[in-house]
Amino acid sequence: MPGCFLFIHAIIKGLEGIIDRKEEGESAMQLNHKENLDRGERLPLSYSEDCLVLLPRDPRWIFAYWEVSPLTRRSIEQQAGAGWDGNRTILRVFRFEAGQEHGEEFFDITPGPLAKSWYIEVGVPGRGYQVELGYVMPDGRYELILASNKVTTPRDRLSDILDEKWRLPDWQARKLYRRIALSHLSSPERLRQEAALAPFYRDGRGDKILQS
Amino acid sequence: MPKGYLAFIFHAHLPYVRHPEHKRSLEEKWFFEAITECYIPLLRVFQQLESDGIDYAVTFSLSPTLLSMLEDPFLQGRYGDYLAMLQSLATREEERAAGDPDFAPLAQMYRQRLDHTAWLYNEKYGRRLVKAFQELQQTGRMELITSAATHGFLPLLGISKEALYAQLTAGMDYFESIFGYRPRGIWLPECGYDPFMEEILSELGLHYFVLATHGVLYASPRPKYGVYSPILTTGGLAAFGRDPETSTQVWSAKEGYPGDFNYREFYRDIGFDLDMESVGDFLHPKGLRSNTGFKYYRITGPGEHKEPYNPQWAAERAREHAENFMFNREKQVEYYGNLMDRPPLINAPYDAELFGHWWFEGPLWIDKLCRLLAEHPRRPVEMVTPGQYLEKGYPLQESTPNASSWGDKGYFEVWLNGENDWTYRHLHRAASRMVSLATDFPGAKGMLQEALTQAARELLLAQSSDWPFIMTAGTMDIYARQRIKSHLLRFFALEQQIRENRIDPGWLNALQSTDNLFPHLDYRLFQSHEVTTPVESQALQSAKTQM
């Protein structure tokens, strides 16, 4: 159905061969390389480094992934006086209202021991968000492990701010002022500039202009 | 003064697909088909307009990976072979169709087109198609811009400023090494934008970029003229928002032009229709069927029944569609012009690969449209490039665009969902390791420098937006997964060898000849911005070129 196909096509744009389901063919990577240049077969499951990264997905959803290094785990275990319990980890979501320095606590998520990433429905477009990964100690105290970067969800509608300021792009403003500087200097500067040009006008009219 | 302006922008991009280890690969065929059916037909349109003295203006965004493939001698050779094979198929088709009143003229048309393509490619441009773009650029009527180095989806990579900077700068550097000047505009891959990118964008001496409609429409403060005037971002660049009417008019599922019953049917190709004896040697050695580009039918109607293609009827429709498009633009600029203190600008960006390959008559439609606009007695709508428009010197409204993309649903979900979200953990880690390497080894020479440069190449290749996109689309996803994994594994192994001071020269050499794009890449583009600001690294760049 051309119409239907067009629609899909318009959405996924361009890489024709990829969605060309009718096309058979041999993908280069489906074959075994005689000479495999990759060193190793799998990407590491972990990098043994602490990280908590937040990415915006759309106006209402953000995505977090994390890793807690063995070293950090041990330090938590020491504080807890017990072995690491993945069920005690918490993702604490903070929201920043426009212009605010500090986010307010929004809600908590218990991702469970196996999760390494989470899609979080924050629901409000155009706001800043930050996430903490924390641990609930046996005594109920919340211990911060990692804080994420801050992200802002996109807007999904027209901005309410209607202030209008208009100007030329800098590179163009520079061109404009350069021209003004060349041809519209104030009087003393203009005279100095003409005096500097005098040698070129010595024969004939140039002298007259300077004399007058 | 015209009542309005129209900016046509073609974004031409393919991921870096080069597989010398295989006799034939489907991925290289994407590239060959795009050259035969899109890039050359579009180039021919503008060359013909030039020689007919028609005034037009158009912008081409040529992605650095596409440019790399166009400039790669190995792929140039392979495309030459592919074209020769198509020509011999064309000769056989002419013989097969001889005497048939419907098909003989079509077979002849294909043979003539391919002969001309081969002459253009082999003789006129000596297999370097970038020369054709350069020629047109020098007329002043075609503006060339480029994109991020490997078309990385910047909003999701920009957690590392250095990665963002390197993607953009390496792309612009490579463009400059071919065309001899810095592009004024940048095509943000997939129109992917997030306001945090302004800090880096402002450092690059760029004048503009292009965004999806809601990237500009939902900017803040609210743009007074919507998408019909660019806005001035905090980084001092102009952001041009996509006009929604021109995109739906061409691509709408219901009334879009390419579905016209007189246009050529894409799905009736002799690669599938004929017996293996007739087309077998063109197809994959294992007898796998694929498109050849020889298609003899028109869309005809919604059903399975197809009538033979009639090029005259199709050309007539293309002219009518161009007239319709022009009429609608005239109405559009009249409408918006009444609400504005300046002529509205209609920004119409398209994927170049849709013209010619899928919409066979697309290039013809562009040709007709340019002629109609140029020959209109009142010329109410004038074609411009974004660069030409900015030269007109209209003050622009200061406003920060909205985070957005031109992908499905308009934000980042195509590149961030359950199919591909696992990649970011590795991509971000690799980027941060690359920043450490570039910062720890600021003045590497010899093999160390080569290893660092190759590590930068592998990282850039892993960052292509195409891999997560293909994973979302769900076909060929094995290839995409493998590509991203391979480049990351190569990167991490290189990193380890560099750190442990035991670089394997044979392996490094093999990587250099396989993942061989950006010959002059400077790994120091990844140096930490804590240590060196982007401006300083640009100075480093120029110091290096002066050396």
Side-chain angles (χ1 to χ4, degrees), chain B residues 91-154:
Chain B
T91 312
R92 286 212 319 262
E93 278 299 286
E94 239 182 336
E95 287 162 15
R96 192 178 67 86
D100 187 298
D102 291 322
F103 297 137
L106 293 173
Q108 191 192 21
M109 173 187 84
Y110 285 125
R111 207 255 307 137
Q112 285 171 347
R113 281 172 69 99
L114 285 165
D115 287 351
H116 188 81
T117 299
W119 170 81
L120 207 78
Y121 180 71
N122 292 312
E123 311 300 323
K124 187 161 184 208
Y125 296 112
R127 300 193 163 182
R128 285 194 62 215
L129 272 191
V130 297
K131 286 203 274 188
F133 284 104
Q134 196 157 30
E135 260 179 29
L136 287 165
Q137 184 265 326
Q138 283 162 356
T139 67
R141 281 179 282 275
M142 181 182 283
E143 185 164 318
L144 297 182
I145 60 170
T146 193
S147 188
T150 57
H151 216 255
F153 190 71
L154 305 176

Side-chain angles (χ1 to χ4, degrees), chain A residues 9 18 26-27 47 49 172, chain B residues 284 354 390 426 429 475:
Chain A
H9 200 110
I18 294 157
E26 198 152 25
S27 167
Y47 290 93
E49 290 172 42
Q172 234 171 6
Chain B
H284 193 278
L354 298 177
L390 292 175
H426 304 288
R429 185 57 53 192
T475 32

Side-chain angles (χ1 to χ4, degrees), chain B residues 137-405:
Chain B
Q137 184 265 326
Q138 283 162 356
T139 67
R141 281 179 282 275
M142 181 182 283
E143 185 164 318
L144 297 182
I145 60 170
T146 193
S147 188
T150 57
H151 216 255
F153 190 71
L154 305 176
L156 298 178
L157 298 176
I159 186 94
S160 153
K161 277 181 199 170
E162 292 82 359
L164 181 58
Y165 176 75
Q167 269 284 342
L168 290 165
T169 309
M172 291 166 67
D173 283 352
Y174 184 62
F175 178 93
E176 188 178 6
S177 76
I178 293 174
F179 295 107
Y181 68 97
R182 298 295 270 186
R184 299 174 69 181
I186 193 95
W187 180 273
L188 299 176
E190 321 290 1
C191 297
Y193 173 87
D194 195 300
F196 74 77
M197 289 158 52
E198 290 289 336
E199 185 189 339
I200 296 296
L201 285 167
S202 70
E203 300 288 348
L204 303 175
L206 285 161
H207 289 177
Y208 71 87
F209 54 84
V210 179
L211 290 181
T213 307
H214 56 298
V216 169
L217 205 59
Y218 298 167
S220 189
R222 185 187 296 180
K224 186 178 180 190
Y225 297 141
V227 293
Y228 298 104
S229 160
I231 53 174
L232 193 61
T233 70
T234 45
L237 283 81
F240 289 79
R242 184 185 200 180
D243 166 52
E245 292 183 38
T246 42
S247 62
T248 47
Q249 203 171 2
V250 175
W251 297 116
S252 147
K254 277 186 186 159
E255 66 270 18
Y257 301 142
D260 190 278
F261 293 162
N262 282 308
Y263 284 155
R264 195 183 74 167
E265 170 63 60
F266 179 81
Y267 287 112
R268 289 296 298 273
D269 188 293
I270 61 164
F272 294 94
D273 287 355
L274 290 189
D275 54 52
M276 289 306 281
E277 231 167 76
S278 310
V279 286
D281 55 349
F282 174 81
L283 301 178
H284 193 278
K286 290 187 181 166
L288 301 169
R289 292 207 174 254
S290 66
N291 283 312
T292 61
F294 290 83
K295 302 171 201 283
Y296 293 102
Y297 295 93
R298 62 176 192 264
I299 294 172
T300 314
E304 285 296 305
H305 173 73
K306 301 294 169 194
E307 296 285 330
Y309 181 62
N310 183 321
Q312 281 75 41
W313 295 356
E316 187 52 32
R317 292 305 285 158
R319 198 180 55 78
E320 285 168 26
H321 284 153
E323 278 170 358
N324 172 274
F325 189 87
M326 185 174 73
F327 174 80
N328 282 305
R329 296 297 74 69
E330 227 180 307
K331 292 287 153 217
Q332 199 181 2
V333 300
E334 259 171 39
Y335 181 86
Y336 290 111
N338 286 331
L339 307 168
M340 295 174 60
D341 69 351
R342 60 190 71 190
L345 169 81
I346 299 165
N347 172 32
Y350 297 100
D351 265 323
E353 289 78 15
L354 298 177
F355 288 80
H357 175 61
W358 199 79
W359 185 17
F360 181 63
E361 296 80 5
L364 188 62
W365 173 77
I366 291 284
D367 176 273
K368 305 273 187 209
L369 178 64
C370 291
R371 287 169 198 272
L372 286 170
L373 289 167
E375 287 158 6
H376 194 293
R378 286 174 286 113
R379 297 195 74 173
V381 183
E382 192 177 299
M383 295 183 96
V384 283
T385 68
Q388 288 167 351
Y389 178 85
L390 292 175
E391 289 290 349
K392 297 184 189 301
Y394 297 111
L396 306 179
Q397 187 181 353
E398 293 178 31
S399 181
T400 304
N402 193 34
S404 52
S405 81

